[in-house]
């Protein structure tokens, strides 16, 4: 083939209900939501799927040498190679049949599938999980009173242990404040018999008010979370956060002064690991304290923009907020890379798929609290309404990427994913190790 790509573009559209085609891939049957969902949050208004589309600009050597070429010929169409997680969710019409292509290409992520055409698309199922899943809510609602009290007694002790300190680096502080936020949430959920039912409603409809009255230690835990997180966001910690105007992002002061400090934060290493914890903690605090969302929303948004910005995907047009498009997410690979500006002989890599998932989960929860189910993650809030769903899409991609390329099971083990049986991309002998420690390009 004489056609080659010179540029690429990625777009996404959110969809509501879907049906299943002959290949078992969910296909949307309702009208596309051009700007995403609405802020209401009812089951009928929440999008369930995202159609991700790759488009390529091309040139042709035949065009240059002969002046024209037959675009209907297979030899004059673009031939690209997709990864296993793409082909799994494609409808098959763009996949080049084996009888037309007898070569096999393999990479670290398995056999690559040949695709014909300048555009191809696949569909992701968006996660429906909110602050709690339905099974957890059911268990809380039916929990034995003695067990409930035993857990609360332990949570009461844990709420005053291992608290974040302001001389900790951003990663350590984030992990500790996220732990505190989770304990606060557990205490709220268990301290009232009606908590599970009310939280279940909160998962279906946005809420920014404390759902019930609690024991004194629960309120004290919330006050502690508020004090620590607000002080941190006001630059009350030793290692303050700063905006790097050269590369566009939130970095630590120590990281700017020492490239090895804060795990390379100043050179944009691991930002999704670091800020995911802060986004989760902010979402929990915002769930129970609407004043926090009003007073500190802009502060938390800067962390959200740093790791989950939905604008600036085209370098030719950049908006007023100088942040890169989804800093760590690689849309072709289907997951994030943790590497920042450091050179690596083996290419970019990521060693913590769980923390990557946690980042986009935190981004989703904060967006839900901040903007509702259809809010925006960019500077044009009035014109973009797909931001919360955008965070859900990043979460879906990261989860499927982790299950496909990090998590392995031997052949005898049954695997499942958001979209059905999970792929097996590695040799069975290697899969007996169960986990890929550090996945590179």
């Amino acid at each position: 083939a004489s056609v080659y790509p010179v540029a690429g573009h990625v777009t996404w559209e959110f969809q509501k209900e879907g049906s299943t085609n002959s290949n078992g891939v969910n296909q949307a049957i309702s009208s596309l939501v051009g700007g995403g969902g609405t802020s209401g949050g009812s089951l009928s208004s929440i999008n369930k799927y995202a159609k991700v589309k790759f488009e390529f600009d091309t040139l042709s050597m035949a065009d240059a040498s002969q002046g024209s070429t037959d675009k209907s010929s297979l030899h004059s169409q673009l031939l690209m190679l997709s990864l296993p997680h793409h082909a799994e969710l494609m409808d098959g019409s763009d996949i080049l049949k084996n009888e037309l292509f007898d070569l096999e290409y393999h990479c670290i992520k398995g056999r690559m599938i040949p695709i014909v055409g300048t555009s191809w698309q696949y569909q992701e199922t968006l996660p429906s999980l909110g602050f709690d899943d339905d099974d957890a809510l059911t268990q809380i609602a039916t929990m034995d009173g003695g067990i409930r009290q035993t857990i609360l007694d332990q949570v009461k002790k844990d709420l005053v242990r291992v608290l974040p300190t302001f001389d900790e680096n951003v990663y350590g502080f984030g992990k500790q404040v996220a732990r505190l936020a989770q304990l606060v949430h557990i205490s709220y959920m268990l301290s009232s018999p009606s908590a599970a039912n009310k939280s279940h409603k909160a998962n279906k409809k946005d809420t920014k008010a404390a759902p019930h009255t609690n024991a004194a230690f629960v309120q004290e835990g919330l006050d502690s979370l508020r004090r620590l997180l607000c002080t941190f966001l006001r630059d009350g910690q030793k290692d303050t956060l700063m905006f790097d105007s050269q590369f566009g992002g939130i970095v630590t002061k120590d990281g700017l002064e020492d490239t090895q400090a804060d795990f390379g934060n100043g050179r944009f290493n691991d930002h999704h690991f670091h800020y995911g914890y802060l986004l989760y903690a902010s979402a929990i605090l915002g769930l129970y304290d609407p004043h926090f969302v009003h007073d500190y929303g802009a502060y938390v948004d800067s962390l959200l923009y740093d790791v989950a910005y939905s604008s600036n995907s085209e370098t030719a047009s950049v908006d007023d907020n100088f942040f890169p498009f989804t800093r760590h997410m690689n849309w072709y690979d289907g997951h994030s890379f943790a590497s920042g500006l450091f050179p690596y002989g083996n290419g970019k890599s990521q060693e913590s798929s769980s923390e990557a998932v946690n980042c986009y989960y935190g981004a989703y929860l904060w967006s839900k609290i901040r903007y509702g189910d259809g809010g925006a993650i960019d500077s044009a809030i009035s014109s973009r309404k797909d931001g919360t769903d955008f965070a859900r899409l990043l979460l879906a991609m990261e989860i499927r990427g982790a299950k496909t390329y990090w998590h392995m099971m031997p052949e005898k083990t049954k695997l499942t994913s958001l979209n059905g049986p999970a792929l097996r991309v590695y040799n069975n002998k290697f899969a007996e190790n169960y986990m890929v420690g550090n996945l590179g390009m």
Side-chain angles (χ1 to χ4, degrees):
S2 60
V3 179
Y4 56 95
V6 294
H9 315 272
V10 61
T11 59
W12 57 93
E13 292 179 322
F14 297 109
Q15 306 165 320
K16 294 186 174 66
E17 298 298 332
S19 62
T20 303
N21 69 6
S22 58
N23 292 326
V25 181
N26 288 317
Q27 299 295 315
I29 58 176
S30 62
S31 60
L32 296 181
V33 183
T38 65
S39 60
S42 66
L43 287 177
S44 61
S45 69
I46 296 177
N47 293 309
K48 296 185 178 181
Y49 308 102
K51 181 174 70 176
V52 178
K53 184 176 184 179
F54 295 105
E55 297 178 280
F56 301 95
D57 298 335
T58 63
L59 290 177
S60 170
M61 289 182 285
D63 284 339
S65 61
Q66 303 174 12
S68 65
T69 186
D70 180 10
K71 298 298 183 182
S72 64
S73 169
L74 180 63
H75 297 289
S76 63
Q77 297 184 55
L78 178 66
L79 175 64
M80 297 287 284
L81 294 172
S82 68
L83 291 175
H85 76 279
H86 298 137
E88 178 193 24
L89 299 184
M90 296 176 69
D91 63 13
S93 61
D94 297 323
I95 297 177
L96 190 60
K97 303 299 185 289
N98 290 335
E99 57 268 23
L100 298 175
F101 193 80
D102 58 359
L103 298 177
E104 282 195 7
Y105 290 89
H106 292 263
C107 68
I108 193 173
K109 291 178 176 173
R111 178 172 176 260
M112 304 185 77
I113 310 300
I115 306 294
V116 175
T118 57
S119 68
W120 34 285
Q121 63 189 35
Y122 68 95
Q123 186 168 274
E124 288 279 7
T125 299
L126 301 177
S128 58
L129 176 68
F131 285 88
D132 309 277
D133 63 38
D134 289 339
D135 289 342
L137 295 172
T138 299
Q139 292 178 24
I140 292 172
T142 59
M143 184 179 294
D144 175 79
I147 295 175
R148 180 190 299 269
Q149 190 57 52
T150 298
I151 296 174
L152 282 172
D153 289 343
Q154 184 61 50
V155 170
K156 181 179 180 179
K157 297 175 183 178
D158 291 341
L159 280 169
V160 294
R161 292 173 173 169
V162 198
L163 295 179
T165 61
F166 296 119
D167 57 358
E168 180 66 88
N169 61 50
V170 64
Y171 181 55
F173 182 90
K175 295 184 75 169
Q176 292 172 351
V177 80
R179 168 190 174 274
L180 177 60
Q182 191 169 52
L183 288 170
V184 168
H185 185 54
I186 292 171
S187 68
Y188 262 77
M189 293 298 296
L190 294 182
S191 62
S192 170
S194 62
N197 291 332
K198 292 185 178 181
S199 181
H200 181 75
K201 294 178 181 178
N203 281 338
K204 307 303 181 185
K205 183 177 68 175
D206 232 9
T207 180
K208 294 182 181 179
H212 51 277
T213 303
N214 299 280
F217 80 89
V218 179
Q219 185 60 46
E220 291 170 0
L222 181 63
D223 292 341
S224 178
L225 175 62
R226 182 189 300 108
R227 176 182 60 81
L228 290 165
L229 194 53
C230 291
T231 301
F232 179 89
L233 293 173
R234 292 196 309 268
D235 287 336
Q237 77 281 20
K238 180 180 178 181
D239 188 12
T240 58
L241 296 178
M242 311 177 73
F243 181 77
D244 185 339
S245 60
Q246 290 186 321
F247 291 100
I250 305 298
V251 296
T252 62
K253 180 177 179 291
D254 288 351
L256 280 179
E257 296 174 348
D258 179 359
T259 59
Q260 300 302 314
D262 300 338
F263 304 92
N265 179 286
R267 296 300 181 269
F268 298 95
N269 262 19
D270 299 351
H271 277 207
H272 57 330
F273 298 165
H274 299 174
Y275 301 153
Y277 290 113
L278 296 169
L279 290 171
Y280 173 79
S282 297
I284 294 295
L285 181 54
L287 178 66
Y288 297 116
D289 181 3
H291 297 292
F292 172 76
V293 180
H294 178 270
D295 296 340
Y296 289 88
Y299 295 80
V300 183
D301 284 348
S302 65
L303 301 177
L304 177 70
Y305 291 174
D306 188 88
V307 295
Y309 202 50
S310 64
S311 291
N312 296 340
S313 62
E314 301 287 341
T315 55
S317 58
V318 179
D319 66 18
D320 293 336
N321 283 358
F322 187 37
F323 289 93
F325 174 63
T326 58
R327 180 183 305 281
H328 291 283
M329 175 63 71
N330 186 305
W331 287 69
Y332 177 81
D333 283 276
H335 61 77
S336 298
F337 285 113
S339 311
L341 301 178
F342 293 92
Y344 293 95
N346 296 325
K348 292 182 177 294
S349 64
Q350 179 166 263
E351 73 285 355
S352 183
S353 58
S354 61
E355 287 182 301
V357 169
N358 180 69
C359 169
Y360 301 121
Y361 180 52
Y364 159 52
L365 293 182
W366 171 252
S367 300
K368 182 179 177 68
I369 289 296
R370 174 73 158 140
Y371 300 116
D373 286 309
I377 306 181
D378 60 21
S379 61
I381 294 176
S382 61
S383 61
R384 291 292 300 277
K385 299 297 183 184
D386 63 359
T388 305
D389 283 336
F390 182 75
R392 292 172 68 206
L393 172 57
L394 297 179
L395 176 59
M397 292 169 62
E398 198 69 46
I399 290 174
R400 198 156 66 86
K403 288 188 174 182
T404 303
Y405 300 119
W406 269 269
H407 300 175
M408 306 180 296
M409 294 287 182
E411 289 181 351
K412 62 183 179 180
T413 308
K414 183 178 180 181
L415 298 177
T416 59
S417 69
L418 286 172
N419 299 283
L423 290 175
R424 298 181 187 275
V425 299
Y426 300 115
N427 177 276
N428 189 57
K429 187 66 176 177
F430 182 59
E432 291 177 357
N433 294 293
Y434 287 91
M435 176 64 71
V436 175
N438 190 353
L439 185 67
M441 294 187 75

